[in-house]
Amino acid sequence: MNSSDSFFYLVNENINISGYIGVKTKILSQASVFAKHFPRVLIAYYANGIAYLCDMEIVIEKKLALSRVECFAVFLNWMSIYQCKWVYIRCLIPASRIYIDFLKKMHEKGVKAVLEYPTYPYEGEIQDEAVLREDRFYRDEIKKYISLVTVYSLVPNIYGINAHVLQNGVRVEDNPVRSIKKKSNKIIMLAVANFYFHHGYERVLEGMRNYYQNKHEYEIYFDMIGEGSERRYYEYLVKKYSLQKYVSFLGIQSGGSLDNYYNRADIGVAPLGLHKCNTVYSAPIKTREYCVRGIPFIYGYSDIGFTGDEPFVIRISNDSVPLDMDVVIALYERTVGRVDLVHDMRKLAEEKFTWDVLLRQVIGYLK
């Protein structure tokens, strides 16, 4: 391994927009692990007609690229200049002729590459039928140039390419353990997300409506942190169901402010609407963050990292049925004040959900 060789992490999206904070954190976390094993790791991404090359968060090159063709040409030129030998590619979908030509030229340079599918199957996320037709036409050609993909679903291969099943990982040092709370008659649920349709938080709001229509022992609240296309819909439901007292839209939070909301939460809520995109198995980052911080949580799909029988989780159905608040209460009553459970969750995250552990096989393949 030559010390002047480099490793490129390619991204097909603008990692600096506010709604992509979680994605950017993930990319930087993965890159920091790759940097422990390769001479130099550079991140290349494309945004608003400009191609960027970064040494982690520091921009070292940028160049005007008014089309995807020009962007790929810039990437290939940088690969030559910086003697790129390895590439990890995130989310270069949908497939197209331009994309296949890029993979071919990269392959001809002798670059060894791994392609990550953050979502699979992804067809439900492509609304343009013409784009989807193009993807279906070209995606079978990817296997000519890529021999390994990573994916967050339990599949042995994708389009004839061997698949390594990943889970979303966490940086333990970035996620402090939550404060231990005493039992009370107030339960606070927490969701931290970009509020896309597949999060399915209308199930929570509908469940809260049902709960407050009857006599109740607990006051149940829902803190919603983040922005996204579904926020207006959720706000509409809150008003429709007269839940303004119990649901708070807190916008994007980070740092100590976010830690404070984690500390006050009793129950985390992971995605509940993956049935909308025909997804059965998943490994979202949020469940790992809840786990490493010691926050019990509820999810509505088959999680690759959890069986659903752990004492700190409850798995509900992967459909549109409202979340029964009795489920929330049951999880709260069996976990509140449990210092031992918080310790066990933290230990599990350290053993299973750090990027150093999760990327071990990918690094072995590339080296």
Side-chain angles (χ1 to χ4, degrees):
M1 186 182 295
N2 192 314
S3 60
S4 61
D5 294 337
S6 66
F7 179 113
F8 270 46
Y9 191 126
L10 302 186
V11 187
N12 191 38
E13 53 206 326
N14 184 355
I15 62 176
N16 286 318
I17 58 177
S18 59
Y20 277 73
I21 291 175
V23 172
K24 182 177 181 179
T25 299
K26 172 183 172 180
I27 289 167
L28 291 173
S29 296
Q30 289 179 320
S32 67
V33 173
F34 289 131
K36 297 176 184 178
H37 301 273
F38 297 93
R40 187 179 190 185
V41 174
L42 301 172
I43 299 172
Y45 69 95
Y46 181 60
N48 304 318
I50 299 176
Y52 294 88
L53 187 66
C54 305
D55 188 338
M56 300 306 282
E57 296 192 74
I58 300 172
V59 176
I60 59 173
E61 300 247 18
K62 62 180 179 179
K63 190 166 185 179
L64 190 67
L66 298 180
S67 67
R68 191 64 64 182
V69 173
E70 291 182 10
C71 173
F72 286 150
V74 171
F75 283 177
L76 288 167
N77 184 51
W78 283 340
M79 287 181 189
S80 295
I81 293 172
Y82 289 92
Q83 300 182 49
C84 174
K85 302 298 181 185
W86 314 273
V87 169
Y88 190 83
I89 308 172
R90 173 187 161 88
C91 200
L92 287 184
I93 54 176
S96 64
R97 179 73 267 162
I98 298 168
Y99 175 33
I100 297 301
D101 286 345
F102 169 69
L103 293 181
K104 180 181 179 182
K105 290 174 183 176
M106 191 174 65
H107 183 73
E108 289 171 349
K109 289 177 175 289
V111 175
K112 195 168 187 178
V114 172
L115 173 63
E116 175 182 301
Y117 284 90
T119 302
Y120 183 84
Y122 56 81
E123 291 191 356
E125 297 186 355
I126 301 176
Q127 305 300 317
D128 190 321
E129 185 59 36
V131 171
L132 190 55
R133 282 198 302 270
E134 184 177 28
D135 176 78
R136 287 170 176 161
F137 185 82
Y138 284 111
R139 62 194 180 191
D140 284 339
E141 293 190 40
I142 297 173
K143 62 178 177 288
K144 296 179 182 178
Y145 312 110
I146 300 290
S147 298
L148 182 69
V149 298
T150 57
V151 64
Y152 299 85
S153 301
L154 289 177
V155 292
N157 68 79
I158 295 179
Y159 311 133
I161 308 167
N162 288 334
H164 172 63
V165 178
L166 275 183
Q167 302 178 47
N168 273 299
V170 292
R171 284 169 54 91
V172 174
E173 59 271 29
D174 293 343
N175 291 273
V177 175
R178 62 170 298 199
S179 302
I180 304 299
K181 297 175 63 178
K182 294 181 179 180
K183 187 177 181 180
S184 73
N185 69 340
K186 181 178 179 180
I187 301 174
I188 301 176
M189 297 182 292
L190 171 72
V192 184
N194 289 326
F195 299 153
Y196 294 133
F197 75 103
H198 65 264
H199 285 113
Y201 294 138
E202 68 276 3
R203 298 179 68 184
V204 180
L205 302 177
E206 290 162 1
M208 292 178 71
R209 172 198 57 182
N210 296 341
Y211 178 74
Y212 282 114
Q213 286 177 341
N214 301 290
K215 291 183 179 180
H216 49 274
E217 178 184 356
Y218 290 94
E219 295 286 296
I220 299 180
Y221 296 82
F222 190 24
D223 285 349
M224 303 187 71
I225 293 178
E227 299 289 347
S229 57
E230 292 292 280
R231 173 166 172 164
R232 284 191 177 182
Y233 175 51
Y234 296 149
E235 289 175 330
Y236 162 76
L237 291 180
V238 167
K239 186 176 180 180
K240 179 181 178 181
Y241 300 151
S242 300
L243 294 172
Q244 294 93 330
K245 175 183 176 182
Y246 305 103
V247 179
S248 299
F249 293 94
L250 300 164
I252 295 171
Q253 302 288 330
S254 61
S257 176
L258 179 60
D259 290 340
N260 289 336
Y261 284 112
Y262 274 120
N263 282 333
R264 83 186 218 112
D266 298 296
I267 305 293
V269 184
L272 302 179
L274 292 180
H275 61 280
K276 298 178 184 179
C277 44
N278 300 315
T279 298
V280 176
Y281 295 97
S282 189
I285 184 65
K286 200 49 55 187
T287 54
R288 279 72 185 151
E289 291 178 352
Y290 293 147
C291 185
V292 73
R293 287 177 181 262
I295 302 173
F297 58 90
I298 295 169
Y299 63 98
Y301 53 90
S302 294
D303 196 298
I304 294 169
F306 301 95
T307 65
D309 296 325
E310 293 87 356
F312 52 84
V313 306
I314 287 183
R315 174 187 167 192
I316 65 171
S317 57
N318 190 3
D319 53 35
S320 59
V321 175
L323 173 61
D324 188 342
M325 292 299 112
D326 285 342
V327 170
V328 176
I329 292 169
L331 183 57
Y332 173 74
E333 289 183 338
R334 80 183 191 208
T335 58
V336 64
R338 293 276 305 275
V339 178
D340 61 317
L341 212 56
V342 172
H343 176 268
D344 290 346
M345 294 175 74
R346 184 81 169 184
K347 186 171 184 290
L348 177 66
E350 291 173 342
E351 292 174 349
K352 290 183 62 175
F353 301 137
T354 68
W355 283 116
D356 290 278
V357 172
L358 296 169
L359 290 174
R360 194 174 292 155
Q361 292 187 40
V362 174
I363 292 166
Y365 168 79
L366 287 169
K367 295 183 77 172

